[in-house]
Each structure stands twice: as structure tokens, then as C-alpha cells.
Amino acid sequence: MAYDYRPRVGVQLPEVEREVRWPEMLAIARTAEAAGYNSVWIGDHMLYRGDGREERGPWDVWTMLAALAASTERVQLGSLVASTAFHPPGLIARMAAAIDEVSAGRLTLGLGAGWNETEFRAFGIPPETKVARFEEAFAIIHRLLAGERVTFDGRFYTTDDAVLLPPPRRRVPLMVGSAGPRVLAATSPHIDWWNCWYSWYGNTPSGFADLSSQFEGTFRRSACVLVSVDGGAGERPFEEGSPPIEPAALRAHLHKLAEAGADEAILVLDPITERSVEVVAAALSLTS
């Protein structure tokens, strides 16, 4: 019998917990697919420094998603979330359409404005206007992925009869990761999913219900959930006010999260390893 609770269960792949090379990234994703997870997700960052830990950065999200699209068969893929500030919006739409094609329709395009000022400044991107840039970028992206020809003349971006060719086989589902009312106001009529990071709601079902209630819309709702596989902080420093869940308590936690309105839980495992993926899958009886 398959697991008997909702929400759907996804897992985040390694980001900046440690340096992870492609063979391990692929192995973790394939292990998650074989273990019965519904989805795997990759963050979009370029550089972390100045937080008391050594300088570090993950692989490019678009390259990794394309590689995983060609290297997996069933599991859904998604960006958690891609910053619209890092690429022109038309290019983001084209990359998403290509990855969805390679994956045979398994991509969810998660988008956000970005937040890490260190990487913005290091790569020459003004952080002061990130929300205004996001609003314009999203307007172009969602229209292109909907099959429109887009002419747009904004403060930051312009397009002149832009169109996606070859045409996507479907409209790629859109997700926005944000707790900002301005971002949700600009996107809610057009998105399929809304996502929140675990520290935004305290990693508790009641906290998720409270945060989710602030945003109205027909979109489905997903919550990142911090899980301490071995008990105690490992690769990811725990954040005050957001206690992790241990595997033995996770099934009941996800039941409560579903009752609070979550349609999918994206697990942030500590540590994020093949073994952790397997331990949590066994605790949840994903394939039993």
C-alpha cells in the first residue's frame, strides 16, 4: 500500500551544506525517485559568504535541472526557487520550456525575487529594486509560457513580439516562493503553487496555517519542512524558532500539515544525503 497521508512529499537536493559533485547529486535524486518521493527540488544561488561559515556556492540550477531531466524518469522536478534577477525573463521562460520538454512534462517553475544581497552585489545585480524587477519579469515569463506573443516596455525589461519557439508542449506550472504581499499580489492570479520556507512559519502546522491564511487564491500550497535525520544540527545550522522534526515524528507532522492546508511538503533533510533520503522514506513508508 502506498503512503496513506497527504500532502505529497518532495525533497530538496543539496545546496550549500557542503560541496556536492554531480555524481552524488544524481545519486541522491535517483534514490529519491526509487524511494517513492513525488518531487526533487534545487535552489538557485550563486554565492554565500560573511555568515561565519566558509565561502561557498551551489551549482547552476538550470544546468542541474536539465541534467536531472535527462537522468530521471518519474519524479517531478522544480526550482526552489529561481531568482528572476539572475537572467532576462525571456531566457528564463525558454530554459524552463526546454527543461520541461526534456523531462516529458515534469517541471514546476518556482520563481522568486531573490534575497541574498552578497550574491547580488558580487555579480553586479542591484538588490534595491529586486521586487520591482520581479514584477516585470514575472509578467513576461507567465505570458510567454502561456503561449502569448509578448511585447513589453517596462522600467527594467523590454520585449518586442517575443515568442517561445519551438512552442512548449504544455503550459509549465508556476510556483512562487515568497511571504511578501506585493509579490503574491502580482502573481496569485497566474500561479499553480505557493511555497514557503520552513523558517517563515516556524516549521509547525499552526504556523503554516497562520501564514497561509494571509494569502488568498486558488493555487495549491507547499511548505518546506526541516527534518533532522540524526538528531541535532549536522550540515545545516538550526534557526531559532524553527525546531526540526525527527523522522519518527514526521508522519504525524505531515498529517497535521495537510490538515493545515498544505498540498505538498518539501523536506529539507539534515544532512542531505542518500542515506537520509532512504531513512526518511522508510519512516514514512513511501513505497510500502
Side-chain angles (χ1 to χ4, degrees):
M1 178 183 297
Y3 62 92
D4 59 355
Y5 53 83
R6 293 293 183 267
R8 290 159 43 95
V9 181
V11 64
Q12 184 193 43
L13 297 183
E15 187 180 73
V16 292
E17 294 79 10
R18 65 185 187 285
E19 184 177 286
V20 175
R21 296 285 165 171
W22 165 244
E24 184 182 1
M25 187 79 77
L26 176 60
I28 295 172
R30 284 179 168 169
T31 297
E33 181 170 62
Y37 290 83
N38 298 106
S39 57
V40 296
W41 300 81
I42 304 181
D44 183 21
H45 286 286
M46 298 186 286
L47 181 65
Y48 282 79
R49 62 159 69 111
D51 59 356
R53 303 173 65 191
E54 67 178 32
E55 190 174 60
R56 62 207 187 278
W59 296 107
D60 173 65
V61 63
W62 301 102
T63 308
M64 290 291 105
L65 284 172
L68 289 172
S71 304
T72 56
E73 297 179 356
R74 176 197 60 81
V75 72
Q76 299 292 304
L77 307 171
S79 50
L80 191 68
V81 288
S83 173
T84 58
F86 296 164
H87 300 279
L91 179 58
I92 291 175
R94 281 183 52 80
M95 292 189 293
I99 292 169
D100 195 61
E101 173 75 11
V102 173
S103 70
R106 291 184 288 128
L107 178 69
T108 296
L109 176 57
L111 297 171
W115 60 269
N116 183 359
E117 186 170 325
T118 293
E119 62 194 354
F120 273 73
R121 297 205 181 279
F123 287 89
I125 304 167
E128 296 83 6
T129 55
K130 61 181 181 293
V131 175
R133 286 176 177 270
F134 173 86
E135 289 171 327
E136 290 191 10
F138 183 84
I140 295 169
I141 292 166
H142 88 77
R143 290 176 61 193
L144 284 172
L145 289 174
E148 296 183 34
R149 307 183 76 95
V150 180
T151 297
F152 187 92
D153 185 14
R155 177 183 172 193
F156 305 103
Y157 302 111
T158 60
T159 61
D160 183 7
D161 197 26
V163 63
L164 296 186
L165 295 175
R169 292 180 182 271
R170 63 168 190 157
R171 187 187 70 81
V172 177
L174 293 171
M175 181 176 82
V176 164
S178 177
R182 183 173 167 185
V183 170
L184 266 294
T187 61
S188 60
H190 311 289
I191 59 175
D192 304 275
W193 287 89
W194 167 72
N195 171 263
C196 58
W197 190 243
Y198 63 83
S199 61
W200 300 352
Y201 69 94
N203 210 38
T204 66
S206 61
F208 175 81
D210 290 343
L211 180 60
S212 179
S213 69
Q214 299 176 26
F215 306 111
E216 296 183 358
T218 59
F219 45 80
R220 289 171 287 178
R221 298 160 192 259
S222 76
C224 293
V225 177
L226 178 62
V227 181
S228 176
V229 177
D230 297 320
E235 297 175 333
R236 176 178 288 273
F238 293 162
E239 299 179 51
E240 186 176 354
S242 300
I245 311 303
E246 295 190 0
L250 189 57
R251 179 186 288 270
H253 181 86
L254 294 185
H255 270 296
K256 293 177 182 177
L257 199 60
E259 291 173 353
D263 298 290
E264 181 164 27
I266 300 175
L267 307 183
V268 181
L269 306 180
D270 183 44
I272 302 179
T273 62
E274 287 183 75
R275 173 184 169 274
S276 292
V277 167
E278 292 172 333
V279 166
V280 171
L284 296 177
S285 302
L286 291 182
T287 57
S288 64

